[in-house]
Amino acid sequence: MATGSLAASSLAASSLATGSVVTGSLLLALPVVALAGLLSFLSPCVLPLAPAYLAYVTGLSSQEVSHPHRGRMTLGATLFVLGFASVFVLIGAAVGGAATFLLQYQRPITRVLGVLVILLGISFTGLLPSWQREARIRWRPPTGLAGAPLLGVTFGLGWTPCIGPTLAAVQALTFTESGAGRGALLTGVYALGLGVPFVVLALAFKRFSGALDLVRRHRRAVSIAGGGVLVVIGVLLVSGVWAKITPVMQGWAANFQTVL
């Protein structure tokens, strides 16, 4: 009898956890925000400066970064990523929490956010130069591992034109999820999409240096593709198609069964 009760309790807890995590369009939003994070890393504002960031957070010179310092570079990159990830997660939780209180106005606000995402997507391609003014914090923490998380926080707060559009799209999707936990999850996944390439680059800098040069040479194509993705997200939000996808995703989540 106790075993049956325990099994029932476990099943109920599992159902509750599944409902709280995958209800709605969250299943669709997670890969979208991960892609947005990757686009942010590949953007002209971030990718060309990636080696400089690694040099800064490790306290190594640009010449030393090119030589094997894998452990120090990986630690510095990880601390840097944790710094800006904490900023994004807090912002996401705040936006998701605010959406809960504004639930009755969610549809019109979502459409306004969709229009904003479309405009930011166009600016990402470089077609709206006046929207590409930087708003970054000029203060810099000390170089080295001790300053790495502080530089990450500064990086997260000082939104450049390349990070701003993708992060705004993520926050628009966060608003549609209505919940601090979901908002934190979405922005956390975005931070992973942006941050994991930094760590991978630190692990194998020399191996990926050629790939960096390739992306730099095609940065215009990357910007156009990234802006196109943001415009599509904005159109889905404005048209209400994103909300219509929700029941489909709910059905998939309800029919999902784990192997064990």
PDB file of all heavy atoms in Angstrom, residues 186-228:
ATOM      1  N   LEU A 186      14.283  30.529 -19.840  1.00  0.00           N
ATOM      2  CA  LEU A 186      14.497  30.954 -21.222  1.00  0.00           C
ATOM      3  C   LEU A 186      15.765  31.797 -21.363  1.00  0.00           C
ATOM      4  O   LEU A 186      16.579  31.566 -22.255  1.00  0.00           O
ATOM      5  CB  LEU A 186      13.293  31.748 -21.727  1.00  0.00           C
ATOM      6  CG  LEU A 186      12.072  30.932 -22.166  1.00  0.00           C
ATOM      7  CD1 LEU A 186      10.925  31.858 -22.544  1.00  0.00           C
ATOM      8  CD2 LEU A 186      12.412  30.026 -23.331  1.00  0.00           C
ATOM      9  N   THR A 187      15.940  32.764 -20.471  1.00  0.00           N
ATOM     10  CA  THR A 187      17.123  33.604 -20.576  1.00  0.00           C
ATOM     11  C   THR A 187      18.379  32.834 -20.191  1.00  0.00           C
ATOM     12  O   THR A 187      19.471  33.135 -20.690  1.00  0.00           O
ATOM     13  CB  THR A 187      16.981  34.859 -19.700  1.00  0.00           C
ATOM     14  OG1 THR A 187      16.519  34.480 -18.401  1.00  0.00           O
ATOM     15  CG2 THR A 187      16.026  35.847 -20.321  1.00  0.00           C
ATOM     16  N   GLY A 188      18.231  31.818 -19.318  1.00  0.00           N
ATOM     17  CA  GLY A 188      19.369  30.968 -19.002  1.00  0.00           C
ATOM     18  C   GLY A 188      19.825  30.172 -20.211  1.00  0.00           C
ATOM     19  O   GLY A 188      21.027  30.033 -20.459  1.00  0.00           O
ATOM     20  N   VAL A 189      18.868  29.657 -20.986  1.00  0.00           N
ATOM     21  CA  VAL A 189      19.209  28.916 -22.202  1.00  0.00           C
ATOM     22  C   VAL A 189      19.820  29.858 -23.240  1.00  0.00           C
ATOM     23  O   VAL A 189      20.755  29.490 -23.963  1.00  0.00           O
ATOM     24  CB  VAL A 189      17.963  28.206 -22.769  1.00  0.00           C
ATOM     25  CG1 VAL A 189      18.247  27.600 -24.144  1.00  0.00           C
ATOM     26  CG2 VAL A 189      17.503  27.109 -21.807  1.00  0.00           C
ATOM     27  N   TYR A 190      19.308  31.084 -23.315  1.00  0.00           N
ATOM     28  CA  TYR A 190      19.910  32.082 -24.201  1.00  0.00           C
ATOM     29  C   TYR A 190      21.369  32.329 -23.807  1.00  0.00           C
ATOM     30  O   TYR A 190      22.259  32.403 -24.672  1.00  0.00           O
ATOM     31  CB  TYR A 190      19.119  33.387 -24.124  1.00  0.00           C
ATOM     32  CG  TYR A 190      19.801  34.556 -24.790  1.00  0.00           C
ATOM     33  CD1 TYR A 190      19.765  34.709 -26.178  1.00  0.00           C
ATOM     34  CD2 TYR A 190      20.496  35.515 -24.045  1.00  0.00           C
ATOM     35  CE1 TYR A 190      20.398  35.786 -26.793  1.00  0.00           C
ATOM     36  CE2 TYR A 190      21.129  36.577 -24.651  1.00  0.00           C
ATOM     37  CZ  TYR A 190      21.074  36.715 -26.021  1.00  0.00           C
ATOM     38  OH  TYR A 190      21.706  37.761 -26.634  1.00  0.00           O
ATOM     39  N   ALA A 191      21.610  32.450 -22.504  1.00  0.00           N
ATOM     40  CA  ALA A 191      22.975  32.665 -22.023  1.00  0.00           C
ATOM     41  C   ALA A 191      23.873  31.485 -22.377  1.00  0.00           C
ATOM     42  O   ALA A 191      25.044  31.675 -22.696  1.00  0.00           O
ATOM     43  CB  ALA A 191      22.962  32.890 -20.506  1.00  0.00           C
ATOM     44  N   LEU A 192      23.321  30.274 -22.357  1.00  0.00           N
ATOM     45  CA  LEU A 192      24.102  29.101 -22.764  1.00  0.00           C
ATOM     46  C   LEU A 192      24.447  29.171 -24.251  1.00  0.00           C
ATOM     47  O   LEU A 192      25.573  28.860 -24.653  1.00  0.00           O
ATOM     48  CB  LEU A 192      23.322  27.819 -22.472  1.00  0.00           C
ATOM     49  CG  LEU A 192      23.245  27.382 -21.009  1.00  0.00           C
ATOM     50  CD1 LEU A 192      22.369  26.141 -20.876  1.00  0.00           C
ATOM     51  CD2 LEU A 192      24.633  27.111 -20.454  1.00  0.00           C
ATOM     52  N   GLY A 193      23.459  29.565 -25.064  1.00  0.00           N
ATOM     53  CA  GLY A 193      23.712  29.687 -26.497  1.00  0.00           C
ATOM     54  C   GLY A 193      24.801  30.695 -26.800  1.00  0.00           C
ATOM     55  O   GLY A 193      25.608  30.511 -27.718  1.00  0.00           O
ATOM     56  N   LEU A 194      24.855  31.762 -26.009  1.00  0.00           N
ATOM     57  CA  LEU A 194      25.881  32.779 -26.171  1.00  0.00           C
ATOM     58  C   LEU A 194      27.189  32.390 -25.495  1.00  0.00           C
ATOM     59  O   LEU A 194      28.274  32.679 -26.001  1.00  0.00           O
ATOM     60  CB  LEU A 194      25.370  34.110 -25.594  1.00  0.00           C
ATOM     61  CG  LEU A 194      26.347  35.284 -25.500  1.00  0.00           C
ATOM     62  CD1 LEU A 194      26.918  35.639 -26.867  1.00  0.00           C
ATOM     63  CD2 LEU A 194      25.661  36.495 -24.863  1.00  0.00           C
ATOM     64  N   GLY A 195      27.088  31.723 -24.343  1.00  0.00           N
ATOM     65  CA  GLY A 195      28.261  31.475 -23.525  1.00  0.00           C
ATOM     66  C   GLY A 195      29.044  30.213 -23.856  1.00  0.00           C
ATOM     67  O   GLY A 195      30.276  30.210 -23.746  1.00  0.00           O
ATOM     68  N   VAL A 196      28.353  29.144 -24.263  1.00  0.00           N
ATOM     69  CA  VAL A 196      29.060  27.893 -24.550  1.00  0.00           C
ATOM     70  C   VAL A 196      30.134  28.078 -25.626  1.00  0.00           C
ATOM     71  O   VAL A 196      31.241  27.533 -25.495  1.00  0.00           O
ATOM     72  CB  VAL A 196      28.057  26.783 -24.936  1.00  0.00           C
ATOM     73  CG1 VAL A 196      28.778  25.573 -25.528  1.00  0.00           C
ATOM     74  CG2 VAL A 196      27.255  26.355 -23.712  1.00  0.00           C
ATOM     75  N   PRO A 197      29.862  28.842 -26.713  1.00  0.00           N
ATOM     76  CA  PRO A 197      30.937  29.052 -27.692  1.00  0.00           C
ATOM     77  C   PRO A 197      32.179  29.713 -27.110  1.00  0.00           C
ATOM     78  O   PRO A 197      33.297  29.419 -27.542  1.00  0.00           O
ATOM     79  CB  PRO A 197      30.271  29.955 -28.744  1.00  0.00           C
ATOM     80  CG  PRO A 197      28.817  29.628 -28.658  1.00  0.00           C
ATOM     81  CD  PRO A 197      28.576  29.392 -27.207  1.00  0.00           C
ATOM     82  N   PHE A 198      32.015  30.596 -26.117  1.00  0.00           N
ATOM     83  CA  PHE A 198      33.176  31.183 -25.465  1.00  0.00           C
ATOM     84  C   PHE A 198      34.024  30.099 -24.791  1.00  0.00           C
ATOM     85  O   PHE A 198      35.248  30.095 -24.886  1.00  0.00           O
ATOM     86  CB  PHE A 198      32.732  32.208 -24.403  1.00  0.00           C
ATOM     87  CG  PHE A 198      32.463  33.584 -24.942  1.00  0.00           C
ATOM     88  CD1 PHE A 198      31.160  34.051 -25.052  1.00  0.00           C
ATOM     89  CD2 PHE A 198      33.504  34.421 -25.314  1.00  0.00           C
ATOM     90  CE1 PHE A 198      30.904  35.320 -25.539  1.00  0.00           C
ATOM     91  CE2 PHE A 198      33.254  35.695 -25.798  1.00  0.00           C
ATOM     92  CZ  PHE A 198      31.944  36.145 -25.920  1.00  0.00           C
ATOM     93  N   VAL A 199      33.341  29.190 -24.083  1.00  0.00           N
ATOM     94  CA  VAL A 199      34.054  28.120 -23.369  1.00  0.00           C
ATOM     95  C   VAL A 199      34.704  27.161 -24.361  1.00  0.00           C
ATOM     96  O   VAL A 199      35.853  26.739 -24.172  1.00  0.00           O
ATOM     97  CB  VAL A 199      33.092  27.365 -22.431  1.00  0.00           C
ATOM     98  CG1 VAL A 199      33.821  26.234 -21.708  1.00  0.00           C
ATOM     99  CG2 VAL A 199      32.473  28.324 -21.407  1.00  0.00           C
ATOM    100  N   VAL A 200      33.981  26.812 -25.425  1.00  0.00           N
ATOM    101  CA  VAL A 200      34.541  25.929 -26.453  1.00  0.00           C
ATOM    102  C   VAL A 200      35.759  26.574 -27.101  1.00  0.00           C
ATOM    103  O   VAL A 200      36.778  25.911 -27.344  1.00  0.00           O
ATOM    104  CB  VAL A 200      33.471  25.586 -27.509  1.00  0.00           C
ATOM    105  CG1 VAL A 200      34.106  24.838 -28.678  1.00  0.00           C
ATOM    106  CG2 VAL A 200      32.355  24.760 -26.893  1.00  0.00           C
ATOM    107  N   LEU A 201      35.671  27.862 -27.357  1.00  0.00           N
ATOM    108  CA  LEU A 201      36.795  28.579 -27.957  1.00  0.00           C
ATOM    109  C   LEU A 201      37.997  28.567 -27.019  1.00  0.00           C
ATOM    110  O   LEU A 201      39.146  28.423 -27.468  1.00  0.00           O
ATOM    111  CB  LEU A 201      36.379  30.015 -28.269  1.00  0.00           C
ATOM    112  CG  LEU A 201      37.427  30.897 -28.964  1.00  0.00           C
ATOM    113  CD1 LEU A 201      37.787  30.319 -30.328  1.00  0.00           C
ATOM    114  CD2 LEU A 201      36.897  32.323 -29.112  1.00  0.00           C
ATOM    115  N   ALA A 202      37.740  28.707 -25.713  1.00  0.00           N
ATOM    116  CA  ALA A 202      38.831  28.667 -24.745  1.00  0.00           C
ATOM    117  C   ALA A 202      39.477  27.293 -24.686  1.00  0.00           C
ATOM    118  O   ALA A 202      40.690  27.168 -24.507  1.00  0.00           O
ATOM    119  CB  ALA A 202      38.306  29.059 -23.361  1.00  0.00           C
ATOM    120  N   LEU A 203      38.679  26.249 -24.846  1.00  0.00           N
ATOM    121  CA  LEU A 203      39.199  24.882 -24.795  1.00  0.00           C
ATOM    122  C   LEU A 203      40.076  24.549 -25.996  1.00  0.00           C
ATOM    123  O   LEU A 203      41.043  23.791 -25.872  1.00  0.00           O
ATOM    124  CB  LEU A 203      38.031  23.884 -24.719  1.00  0.00           C
ATOM    125  CG  LEU A 203      37.358  23.718 -23.357  1.00  0.00           C
ATOM    126  CD1 LEU A 203      36.068  22.928 -23.500  1.00  0.00           C
ATOM    127  CD2 LEU A 203      38.303  23.035 -22.376  1.00  0.00           C
ATOM    128  N   ALA A 204      39.726  25.077 -27.142  1.00  0.00           N
ATOM    129  CA  ALA A 204      40.458  24.730 -28.364  1.00  0.00           C
ATOM    130  C   ALA A 204      40.626  25.970 -29.220  1.00  0.00           C
ATOM    131  O   ALA A 204      40.109  26.045 -30.334  1.00  0.00           O
ATOM    132  CB  ALA A 204      39.725  23.623 -29.122  1.00  0.00           C
ATOM    133  N   PHE A 205      41.351  26.944 -28.702  1.00  0.00           N
ATOM    134  CA  PHE A 205      41.466  28.230 -29.388  1.00  0.00           C
ATOM    135  C   PHE A 205      42.138  28.082 -30.747  1.00  0.00           C
ATOM    136  O   PHE A 205      41.641  28.582 -31.759  1.00  0.00           O
ATOM    137  CB  PHE A 205      42.243  29.217 -28.520  1.00  0.00           C
ATOM    138  CG  PHE A 205      42.329  30.593 -29.107  1.00  0.00           C
ATOM    139  CD1 PHE A 205      41.289  31.488 -28.930  1.00  0.00           C
ATOM    140  CD2 PHE A 205      43.424  30.985 -29.860  1.00  0.00           C
ATOM    141  CE1 PHE A 205      41.348  32.763 -29.473  1.00  0.00           C
ATOM    142  CE2 PHE A 205      43.497  32.250 -30.412  1.00  0.00           C
ATOM    143  CZ  PHE A 205      42.453  33.135 -30.214  1.00  0.00           C
ATOM    144  N   LYS A 206      43.271  27.408 -30.790  1.00  0.00           N
ATOM    145  CA  LYS A 206      44.017  27.290 -32.040  1.00  0.00           C
ATOM    146  C   LYS A 206      43.227  26.513 -33.082  1.00  0.00           C
ATOM    147  O   LYS A 206      43.273  26.814 -34.274  1.00  0.00           O
ATOM    148  CB  LYS A 206      45.368  26.622 -31.775  1.00  0.00           C
ATOM    149  CG  LYS A 206      46.288  27.447 -30.889  1.00  0.00           C
ATOM    150  CD  LYS A 206      47.658  26.818 -30.763  1.00  0.00           C
ATOM    151  CE  LYS A 206      48.447  26.955 -32.056  1.00  0.00           C
ATOM    152  NZ  LYS A 206      49.833  26.469 -31.916  1.00  0.00           N
ATOM    153  N   ARG A 207      42.494  25.501 -32.623  1.00  0.00           N
ATOM    154  CA  ARG A 207      41.731  24.667 -33.560  1.00  0.00           C
ATOM    155  C   ARG A 207      40.609  25.456 -34.214  1.00  0.00           C
ATOM    156  O   ARG A 207      40.280  25.227 -35.388  1.00  0.00           O
ATOM    157  CB  ARG A 207      41.174  23.450 -32.835  1.00  0.00           C
ATOM    158  CG  ARG A 207      40.395  22.493 -33.718  1.00  0.00           C
ATOM    159  CD  ARG A 207      39.954  21.259 -32.940  1.00  0.00           C
ATOM    160  NE  ARG A 207      41.090  20.526 -32.406  1.00  0.00           N
ATOM    161  CZ  ARG A 207      40.979  19.432 -31.661  1.00  0.00           C
ATOM    162  NH1 ARG A 207      39.782  18.971 -31.332  1.00  0.00           N
ATOM    163  NH2 ARG A 207      42.063  18.817 -31.212  1.00  0.00           N
ATOM    164  N   PHE A 208      39.991  26.376 -33.470  1.00  0.00           N
ATOM    165  CA  PHE A 208      38.830  27.095 -33.994  1.00  0.00           C
ATOM    166  C   PHE A 208      39.191  28.473 -34.550  1.00  0.00           C
ATOM    167  O   PHE A 208      38.291  29.204 -34.971  1.00  0.00           O
ATOM    168  CB  PHE A 208      37.770  27.253 -32.897  1.00  0.00           C
ATOM    169  CG  PHE A 208      37.041  25.986 -32.572  1.00  0.00           C
ATOM    170  CD1 PHE A 208      37.400  25.235 -31.466  1.00  0.00           C
ATOM    171  CD2 PHE A 208      36.016  25.530 -33.376  1.00  0.00           C
ATOM    172  CE1 PHE A 208      36.741  24.065 -31.161  1.00  0.00           C
ATOM    173  CE2 PHE A 208      35.351  24.357 -33.075  1.00  0.00           C
ATOM    174  CZ  PHE A 208      35.718  23.615 -31.968  1.00  0.00           C
ATOM    175  N   SER A 209      40.444  28.822 -34.528  1.00  0.00           N
ATOM    176  CA  SER A 209      40.823  30.146 -35.034  1.00  0.00           C
ATOM    177  C   SER A 209      40.483  30.292 -36.518  1.00  0.00           C
ATOM    178  O   SER A 209      40.066  31.359 -36.970  1.00  0.00           O
ATOM    179  CB  SER A 209      42.312  30.391 -34.806  1.00  0.00           C
ATOM    180  OG  SER A 209      43.087  29.385 -35.452  1.00  0.00           O
ATOM    181  N   GLY A 210      40.641  29.208 -37.283  1.00  0.00           N
ATOM    182  CA  GLY A 210      40.286  29.252 -38.703  1.00  0.00           C
ATOM    183  C   GLY A 210      38.797  29.452 -38.901  1.00  0.00           C
ATOM    184  O   GLY A 210      38.372  30.202 -39.790  1.00  0.00           O
ATOM    185  N   ALA A 211      37.992  28.796 -38.054  1.00  0.00           N
ATOM    186  CA  ALA A 211      36.541  28.966 -38.145  1.00  0.00           C
ATOM    187  C   ALA A 211      36.144  30.398 -37.814  1.00  0.00           C
ATOM    188  O   ALA A 211      35.220  30.960 -38.428  1.00  0.00           O
ATOM    189  CB  ALA A 211      35.835  27.993 -37.199  1.00  0.00           C
ATOM    190  N   LEU A 212      36.839  31.020 -36.854  1.00  0.00           N
ATOM    191  CA  LEU A 212      36.559  32.418 -36.517  1.00  0.00           C
ATOM    192  C   LEU A 212      36.816  33.323 -37.710  1.00  0.00           C
ATOM    193  O   LEU A 212      36.036  34.229 -38.001  1.00  0.00           O
ATOM    194  CB  LEU A 212      37.418  32.852 -35.325  1.00  0.00           C
ATOM    195  CG  LEU A 212      37.082  32.262 -33.958  1.00  0.00           C
ATOM    196  CD1 LEU A 212      38.058  32.775 -32.923  1.00  0.00           C
ATOM    197  CD2 LEU A 212      35.663  32.582 -33.551  1.00  0.00           C
ATOM    198  N   ASP A 213      37.918  33.078 -38.378  1.00  0.00           N
ATOM    199  CA  ASP A 213      38.242  33.892 -39.554  1.00  0.00           C
ATOM    200  C   ASP A 213      37.184  33.721 -40.649  1.00  0.00           C
ATOM    201  O   ASP A 213      36.818  34.680 -41.333  1.00  0.00           O
ATOM    202  CB  ASP A 213      39.615  33.496 -40.098  1.00  0.00           C
ATOM    203  CG  ASP A 213      40.739  33.880 -39.152  1.00  0.00           C
ATOM    204  OD1 ASP A 213      40.531  34.813 -38.355  1.00  0.00           O
ATOM    205  OD2 ASP A 213      41.810  33.240 -39.202  1.00  0.00           O
ATOM    206  N   LEU A 214      36.686  32.497 -40.812  1.00  0.00           N
ATOM    207  CA  LEU A 214      35.664  32.230 -41.827  1.00  0.00           C
ATOM    208  C   LEU A 214      34.391  33.006 -41.533  1.00  0.00           C
ATOM    209  O   LEU A 214      33.800  33.629 -42.432  1.00  0.00           O
ATOM    210  CB  LEU A 214      35.372  30.731 -41.896  1.00  0.00           C
ATOM    211  CG  LEU A 214      34.274  30.292 -42.874  1.00  0.00           C
ATOM    212  CD1 LEU A 214      34.692  30.608 -44.312  1.00  0.00           C
ATOM    213  CD2 LEU A 214      33.965  28.805 -42.727  1.00  0.00           C
ATOM    214  N   VAL A 215      33.955  32.985 -40.272  1.00  0.00           N
ATOM    215  CA  VAL A 215      32.732  33.702 -39.895  1.00  0.00           C
ATOM    216  C   VAL A 215      32.943  35.201 -40.020  1.00  0.00           C
ATOM    217  O   VAL A 215      32.040  35.930 -40.434  1.00  0.00           O
ATOM    218  CB  VAL A 215      32.303  33.310 -38.464  1.00  0.00           C
ATOM    219  CG1 VAL A 215      31.077  34.124 -38.038  1.00  0.00           C
ATOM    220  CG2 VAL A 215      31.988  31.832 -38.380  1.00  0.00           C
ATOM    221  N   ARG A 216      34.130  35.678 -39.676  1.00  0.00           N
ATOM    222  CA  ARG A 216      34.414  37.113 -39.811  1.00  0.00           C
ATOM    223  C   ARG A 216      34.278  37.559 -41.264  1.00  0.00           C
ATOM    224  O   ARG A 216      33.746  38.632 -41.552  1.00  0.00           O
ATOM    225  CB  ARG A 216      35.831  37.415 -39.311  1.00  0.00           C
ATOM    226  CG  ARG A 216      35.996  37.394 -37.803  1.00  0.00           C
ATOM    227  CD  ARG A 216      37.322  38.017 -37.422  1.00  0.00           C
ATOM    228  NE  ARG A 216      37.672  37.752 -36.037  1.00  0.00           N
ATOM    229  CZ  ARG A 216      38.565  36.855 -35.642  1.00  0.00           C
ATOM    230  NH1 ARG A 216      39.216  36.139 -36.557  1.00  0.00           N
ATOM    231  NH2 ARG A 216      38.833  36.678 -34.384  1.00  0.00           N
ATOM    232  N   ARG A 217      34.778  36.730 -42.167  1.00  0.00           N
ATOM    233  CA  ARG A 217      34.715  37.089 -43.591  1.00  0.00           C
ATOM    234  C   ARG A 217      33.286  37.122 -44.107  1.00  0.00           C
ATOM    235  O   ARG A 217      32.987  37.819 -45.073  1.00  0.00           O
ATOM    236  CB  ARG A 217      35.543  36.099 -44.419  1.00  0.00           C
ATOM    237  CG  ARG A 217      37.048  36.243 -44.237  1.00  0.00           C
ATOM    238  CD  ARG A 217      37.812  35.540 -45.341  1.00  0.00           C
ATOM    239  NE  ARG A 217      37.524  34.122 -45.376  1.00  0.00           N
ATOM    240  CZ  ARG A 217      38.229  33.199 -44.723  1.00  0.00           C
ATOM    241  NH1 ARG A 217      39.256  33.562 -43.949  1.00  0.00           N
ATOM    242  NH2 ARG A 217      37.924  31.912 -44.811  1.00  0.00           N
ATOM    243  N   HIS A 218      32.400  36.382 -43.458  1.00  0.00           N
ATOM    244  CA  HIS A 218      31.002  36.315 -43.881  1.00  0.00           C
ATOM    245  C   HIS A 218      30.080  36.965 -42.848  1.00  0.00           C
ATOM    246  O   HIS A 218      28.922  36.576 -42.710  1.00  0.00           O
ATOM    247  CB  HIS A 218      30.582  34.865 -44.118  1.00  0.00           C
ATOM    248  CG  HIS A 218      31.332  34.193 -45.239  1.00  0.00           C
ATOM    249  ND1 HIS A 218      32.550  33.584 -45.047  1.00  0.00           N
ATOM    250  CD2 HIS A 218      31.041  34.064 -46.560  1.00  0.00           C
ATOM    251  CE1 HIS A 218      32.973  33.075 -46.189  1.00  0.00           C
ATOM    252  NE2 HIS A 218      32.085  33.367 -47.127  1.00  0.00           N
ATOM    253  N   ARG A 219      30.606  37.952 -42.126  1.00  0.00           N
ATOM    254  CA  ARG A 219      29.814  38.547 -41.057  1.00  0.00           C
ATOM    255  C   ARG A 219      28.555  39.237 -41.576  1.00  0.00           C
ATOM    256  O   ARG A 219      27.547  39.292 -40.874  1.00  0.00           O
ATOM    257  CB  ARG A 219      30.655  39.530 -40.250  1.00  0.00           C
ATOM    258  CG  ARG A 219      31.255  40.675 -41.024  1.00  0.00           C
ATOM    259  CD  ARG A 219      32.119  41.545 -40.099  1.00  0.00           C
ATOM    260  NE  ARG A 219      32.742  42.653 -40.820  1.00  0.00           N
ATOM    261  CZ  ARG A 219      33.899  42.578 -41.420  1.00  0.00           C
ATOM    262  NH1 ARG A 219      34.563  41.430 -41.429  1.00  0.00           N
ATOM    263  NH2 ARG A 219      34.415  43.628 -42.037  1.00  0.00           N
ATOM    264  N   ARG A 220      28.604  39.757 -42.813  1.00  0.00           N
ATOM    265  CA  ARG A 220      27.423  40.403 -43.371  1.00  0.00           C
ATOM    266  C   ARG A 220      26.308  39.380 -43.571  1.00  0.00           C
ATOM    267  O   ARG A 220      25.143  39.646 -43.242  1.00  0.00           O
ATOM    268  CB  ARG A 220      27.784  41.057 -44.706  1.00  0.00           C
ATOM    269  CG  ARG A 220      26.624  41.725 -45.414  1.00  0.00           C
ATOM    270  CD  ARG A 220      26.007  42.811 -44.577  1.00  0.00           C
ATOM    271  NE  ARG A 220      24.906  43.486 -45.247  1.00  0.00           N
ATOM    272  CZ  ARG A 220      23.999  44.228 -44.627  1.00  0.00           C
ATOM    273  NH1 ARG A 220      24.061  44.393 -43.320  1.00  0.00           N
ATOM    274  NH2 ARG A 220      23.043  44.809 -45.310  1.00  0.00           N
ATOM    275  N   ALA A 221      26.656  38.193 -44.071  1.00  0.00           N
ATOM    276  CA  ALA A 221      25.660  37.133 -44.268  1.00  0.00           C
ATOM    277  C   ALA A 221      25.096  36.671 -42.933  1.00  0.00           C
ATOM    278  O   ALA A 221      23.891  36.397 -42.811  1.00  0.00           O
ATOM    279  CB  ALA A 221      26.287  35.963 -45.020  1.00  0.00           C
ATOM    280  N   VAL A 222      25.967  36.594 -41.908  1.00  0.00           N
ATOM    281  CA  VAL A 222      25.507  36.196 -40.574  1.00  0.00           C
ATOM    282  C   VAL A 222      24.519  37.225 -40.036  1.00  0.00           C
ATOM    283  O   VAL A 222      23.478  36.867 -39.459  1.00  0.00           O
ATOM    284  CB  VAL A 222      26.703  36.039 -39.616  1.00  0.00           C
ATOM    285  CG1 VAL A 222      26.224  35.818 -38.188  1.00  0.00           C
ATOM    286  CG2 VAL A 222      27.588  34.877 -40.050  1.00  0.00           C
ATOM    287  N   SER A 223      24.817  38.505 -40.232  1.00  0.00           N
ATOM    288  CA  SER A 223      23.916  39.557 -39.748  1.00  0.00           C
ATOM    289  C   SER A 223      22.567  39.498 -40.449  1.00  0.00           C
ATOM    290  O   SER A 223      21.513  39.643 -39.810  1.00  0.00           O
ATOM    291  CB  SER A 223      24.561  40.927 -39.976  1.00  0.00           C
ATOM    292  OG  SER A 223      25.736  41.071 -39.228  1.00  0.00           O
ATOM    293  N   ILE A 224      22.577  39.276 -41.754  1.00  0.00           N
ATOM    294  CA  ILE A 224      21.313  39.202 -42.507  1.00  0.00           C
ATOM    295  C   ILE A 224      20.497  37.989 -42.066  1.00  0.00           C
ATOM    296  O   ILE A 224      19.283  38.085 -41.855  1.00  0.00           O
ATOM    297  CB  ILE A 224      21.600  39.146 -44.019  1.00  0.00           C
ATOM    298  CG1 ILE A 224      22.200  40.481 -44.487  1.00  0.00           C
ATOM    299  CG2 ILE A 224      20.327  38.837 -44.800  1.00  0.00           C
ATOM    300  CD1 ILE A 224      22.638  40.486 -45.931  1.00  0.00           C
ATOM    301  N   ALA A 225      21.178  36.843 -41.908  1.00  0.00           N
ATOM    302  CA  ALA A 225      20.466  35.630 -41.482  1.00  0.00           C
ATOM    303  C   ALA A 225      19.904  35.804 -40.077  1.00  0.00           C
ATOM    304  O   ALA A 225      18.751  35.443 -39.803  1.00  0.00           O
ATOM    305  CB  ALA A 225      21.416  34.433 -41.530  1.00  0.00           C
ATOM    306  N   GLY A 226      20.718  36.382 -39.176  1.00  0.00           N
ATOM    307  CA  GLY A 226      20.240  36.609 -37.814  1.00  0.00           C
ATOM    308  C   GLY A 226      19.080  37.583 -37.760  1.00  0.00           C
ATOM    309  O   GLY A 226      18.084  37.356 -37.048  1.00  0.00           O
ATOM    310  N   GLY A 227      19.176  38.665 -38.528  1.00  0.00           N
ATOM    311  CA  GLY A 227      18.066  39.611 -38.583  1.00  0.00           C
ATOM    312  C   GLY A 227      16.812  38.987 -39.140  1.00  0.00           C
ATOM    313  O   GLY A 227      15.700  39.276 -38.669  1.00  0.00           O
ATOM    314  N   GLY A 228      16.976  38.103 -40.134  1.00  0.00           N
ATOM    315  CA  GLY A 228      15.814  37.404 -40.701  1.00  0.00           C
ATOM    316  C   GLY A 228      15.114  36.536 -39.672  1.00  0.00           C
ATOM    317  O   GLY A 228      13.875  36.497 -39.616  1.00  0.00           O
TER     318      GLY A 228
END
